[in-house]
Amino acid sequence: MKINGFTTVIVRDRDGKVLSRKRLPLRSFLRAYNHLLCVQTRFETTPSPAIRTNDTGGTLRSLSPGSDWRCNAGVGTTLYGIRVGTDNTAVDIAQYALIAAIAEGAGGGQMNHLVTSFNFIGVVGGQCSFEIERVIENNSGGAIGVEEVGIYSRANTVGDTNRYFCIARDLHSEAVPDEGSITVTYTIRVVA
Amino acid sequence: MSELLEYEVIITDKDGKVIQRVKGPARSYLKAYNQLRLGQMSNVVQTVKDTGGTNRTPTAGDTYLLGMESAEDVVTHGIRYGTGDTAVDISDYALEAPIGQGAGAGQLDHYICQAGSPTVSATESAFELKRGAVNGSGDTIIVKEIGVYAIARQAAVLYYFCIVRDVLGAPVTIPDGGGITVIYTFKAVE
């Protein structure tokens, strides 16, 4: 069975007026997503053989169960939570990060990240859904072209060190005006 | 890229010979799966119905959350078999009629439930969750549903949640002395 879902991207101008709203099917779970599910399934502190995957810096890490998949990032935090970037390279399941993730800040090419929040929609008909959402503001002084969105997750690694893994990446092409914002929503759904 | 779940059911006779093999896409992630996943992602406790129908508030971001492996003879968690054939409802919290552990009438002797390591190719990542059981009941047993019970912990106490349930397209019959093996394959595919 396919876990359905959507990515919804809304762009607003400085006055909050909606300039663009697009919704695309969710097709973006990456390798790290499945590896993190596997490590939770086994719930061994040190799985043997090791379950290894690349963190967002490209370094192979040995996974351990615990806070895996966590993406409840606070304001200004870009180590995890929803991220956006400027590269439109096609999605490949082996990717471990956005290709050109936009950094936190109000300088040139930077954006201000608000909290990553969650909304449990629950059961509607034969579906059960929840949303992960983040508003990201452009205070850089110029327009920024967003081409990719994704989810960075915090997870345990062997030795109990938290590392960060990209579990989803999708392409969305949007221009975010100066003082405007982009709202990215992942709707994750199971269907009976 | 999509997340897929598939199952395979293998029936053997008393000599271990495969007499039936059924494969199919699972259609059956349940509400509890999405609630437990939301708990992991948000680090906010969710209220989830356990396999006994009682609401629990499992610890988010916990080592045990979504644990699916289990030891021999243990049927609180891991892959389960059942005899119910009522259509799957997304809010189901247990198999309709799970088969108990043992060698008595209508029972199966469950082996360990074990997950493999992820295999990786250019287009997919996959891992299997597998469990066998032997029918020593003295009679045939007809299996109509399969599923997965997972662990989550609340205040250091383990509770169990049905995260997957599938009603088979056609029932499978395990002869006396024969066995059943179910393999669920969790995939992220390009």
Side-chain angles (χ1 to χ4, degrees), chain A:
Chain A
M1 112 144 220
K2 189 176 289 187
I3 291 193
N4 294 308
F6 300 96
T7 54
T8 306
V9 173
I10 301 172
V11 176
R12 292 182 171 87
D13 68 10
R14 59 192 301 176
D15 300 316
K17 179 185 173 189
V18 174
L19 302 177
S20 168
R21 182 194 300 264
K22 292 177 188 167
R23 189 170 82 159
L24 296 175
L26 174 60
R27 300 185 185 282
S28 59
F29 284 120
L30 302 178
R31 193 161 64 190
Y33 175 89
N34 214 38
H35 285 210
L36 290 171
L37 175 60
C38 185
V39 79
Q40 286 294 140
T41 298
R42 289 168 58 170
F43 64 107
E44 304 163 58
T45 305
T46 306
S48 179
I51 300 173
R52 306 180 77 199
T53 200
N54 298 93
D55 68 15
T56 53
T59 302
L60 268 177
R61 304 289 182 186
S62 293
L63 302 174
S64 182
S67 63
D68 301 354
W69 282 345
R70 186 177 299 182
C71 44
N72 59 331
V75 174
T77 298
T78 53
L79 286 172
Y80 59 116
I82 288 177
R83 297 292 305 272
V84 296
T86 59
D87 190 282
N88 64 0
T89 301
V91 178
D92 184 295
I93 196 165
Q95 286 164 348
Y96 51 80
L98 298 195
I99 306 298
I102 293 173
E104 164 64 22
Q110 296 179 332
M111 300 185 83
N112 291 125
H113 297 70
L114 305 187
V115 297
T116 297
S117 59
F118 299 83
N119 175 34
F120 183 62
I121 298 170
V123 174
V124 179
Q127 305 172 358
C128 178
S129 308
F130 68 89
E131 295 174 336
I132 311 170
E133 183 171 288
R134 190 172 213 178
V135 178
I136 303 172
E137 297 174 339
N138 177 11
N139 298 307
S140 69
I144 292 179
V146 169
E147 299 288 343
E148 55 184 337
V149 303
I151 302 174
Y152 282 15
S153 160
R154 196 180 95 176
N156 282 9
T157 55
V158 172
D160 207 25
T161 303
N162 287 320
R163 302 288 181 184
Y164 304 94
F165 301 89
C166 185
I167 59 174
R169 177 175 180 261
D170 285 281
L171 297 183
H172 273 273
S173 184
E174 303 290 345
V176 185
D178 183 37
E179 298 188 31
S181 69
I182 183 168
T183 302
V184 179
T185 306
Y186 276 84
T187 304
I188 297 180
R189 185 169 77 178
V190 294
V191 182

